[in-house]
Amino acid sequence: EQYRYTSSQLIAIEVTTKIATTLSISGSFYIIWKVIGNRSRRRDKLGRTYHRILLYISLSDVVGSFGIFLGSLPAPAENLNETIFDVDLLGNIGNTATCDLQGFMVSFGATATNCYTAMLTVYFLLFVKYSWTEHSLRKVEPLFHFYSTVIPFSCSLAFLVMGWFNTAIPSCFIVTYPWGCFLEDSEHDCIRQPTTIGASRVNYGTLILILFAIANVTVIMLSLVSTMLYVRKIEKTAEEYSARIGRNDTSNNRQKTRLKKSK
């Protein structure tokens, strides 16, 4: 029953995802334009690590969000899931290749966006708390790109080659084809199936993406908290210094008043 969707449910999912991804893509294009749209300032902005990371976050988000925006269109036109579960997918006119491509776009785009977001918080930590210069940041920037681009691209490419991207809701992703074929009570054999961990229902592809998400969230939280505590410490020091100066000024004014009265 978990794989049975009504037409109204499918329409609601399609509309919701299209609105969300349209907003996401629009925001990303705006950031891209702000970084490279002005010719007179383009070279200056692209010469800074901060703006390059922002640019790559936006580009990867466009890739992933556009993949989700396509919805069921890239799914194979002749789809066993529709027959087995009596589901009427919306506008599926693709084939296995287009479904693979969409799954790759979603997997790579979403993972790269999350990774670059984590690296942006690391950038702020190094720049604000540890006072790294632009020259120093450029030395570690290749590591940011390796973690955020090379690894997600390699993993997503491996998923594609192994045939793990299949028809899903709202877009092709890492699922079995047909749905639920790995269940003991299933009457249908798996045609395309991600490799699962032992006898569990968890597949390696989903596990890898979950681990990426956990790692990125951990890095983001630690970096932001560390940066926030450092900034708070600086603010507290500044407040104490201002209070000390204020007390000294008050004391000096009192002394001047006493001297005037004594005269």
Side-chain angles (χ1 to χ4, degrees):
E1 293 297 328
Q2 62 178 315
Y3 298 107
R4 297 186 184 279
Y5 297 88
T6 64
S7 297
S8 58
Q9 287 176 326
L10 291 175
I11 292 174
I13 293 172
E14 286 281 343
V15 171
T16 302
T17 53
K18 278 179 169 48
I19 292 175
T21 52
T22 298
L23 293 174
S24 182
I25 293 172
S26 299
S28 293
F29 270 125
Y30 176 75
I31 294 175
I32 293 171
W33 177 78
K34 292 292 288 184
V35 174
I36 65 175
N38 191 325
R39 291 185 178 182
S40 61
R41 301 185 61 187
R42 183 183 303 168
R43 179 174 297 180
D44 178 59
K45 287 188 174 182
L46 291 179
R48 299 179 183 179
T49 302
Y50 168 71
H51 288 107
R52 287 195 294 272
I53 294 176
L54 271 184
L55 179 63
Y56 292 130
I57 289 176
S58 302
L59 289 173
S60 56
D61 178 67
V62 169
V63 173
S65 295
F66 182 69
I68 298 174
F69 176 85
L70 293 175
S72 300
L73 287 176
E78 297 181 3
N79 207 301
L80 285 178
N81 293 317
E82 292 184 305
T83 303
I84 297 173
F85 299 100
D86 193 25
V87 175
D88 187 17
L89 297 175
L90 301 178
N92 50 315
I93 57 175
N95 50 42
T96 301
T98 57
C99 189
D100 282 339
L101 178 60
Q102 182 188 35
F104 175 84
M105 291 174 63
V106 174
S107 175
F108 169 68
T111 306
T113 301
N114 293 334
C115 290
Y116 270 120
T117 302
M119 294 303 98
L120 183 62
T121 62
V122 173
Y123 164 86
F124 282 123
L125 177 65
L126 297 176
F127 182 77
V128 175
K129 182 175 182 179
Y130 297 104
S131 302
W132 279 39
T133 63
E134 180 65 29
H135 179 71
S136 299
L137 287 165
R138 286 182 181 180
K139 292 182 179 180
V140 298
E141 186 180 348
L143 296 178
F144 293 171
H145 297 308
F146 179 82
Y147 175 74
S148 304
T149 300
V150 177
I151 297 179
F153 182 88
S154 300
C155 290
S156 299
L157 182 61
F159 300 159
L160 186 150
V161 172
M162 290 185 286
W164 289 3
F165 295 129
N166 297 297
T167 303
I169 303 295
S171 62
C172 294
F173 204 59
I174 305 173
V175 294
T176 59
Y177 180 73
W179 298 332
C181 61
F182 59 91
L183 299 175
E184 293 182 358
D185 58 350
S186 175
E187 299 177 356
H188 306 278
D189 294 330
C190 290
I191 299 175
R192 286 160 61 98
Q193 178 185 10
T195 305
T196 56
I197 303 172
S200 69
R201 298 182 181 182
V202 180
N203 62 72
Y204 283 104
T206 301
L207 178 62
I208 290 172
L209 296 183
I210 290 175
L211 291 177
F212 258 118
I214 293 174
N216 290 330
V217 170
T218 302
V219 170
I220 290 171
M221 292 301 296
L222 292 177
S223 299
L224 290 179
V225 169
S226 182
T227 304
M228 180 188 68
L229 292 176
Y230 174 75
V231 172
R232 180 54 188 156
K233 180 181 178 181
I234 297 298
E235 289 179 344
K236 188 175 181 180
T237 302
E239 290 172 357
E240 292 174 351
Y241 178 78
S242 297
R244 193 181 308 117
I245 294 299
R247 288 194 298 268
N248 290 338
D249 289 342
T250 302
S251 177
N252 291 334
N253 290 334
R254 287 176 180 175
Q255 290 179 1
K256 289 179 180 179
T257 302
R258 289 173 184 173
L259 289 174
K260 288 180 179 180
K261 288 182 179 179
S262 64
K263 291 180 180 180

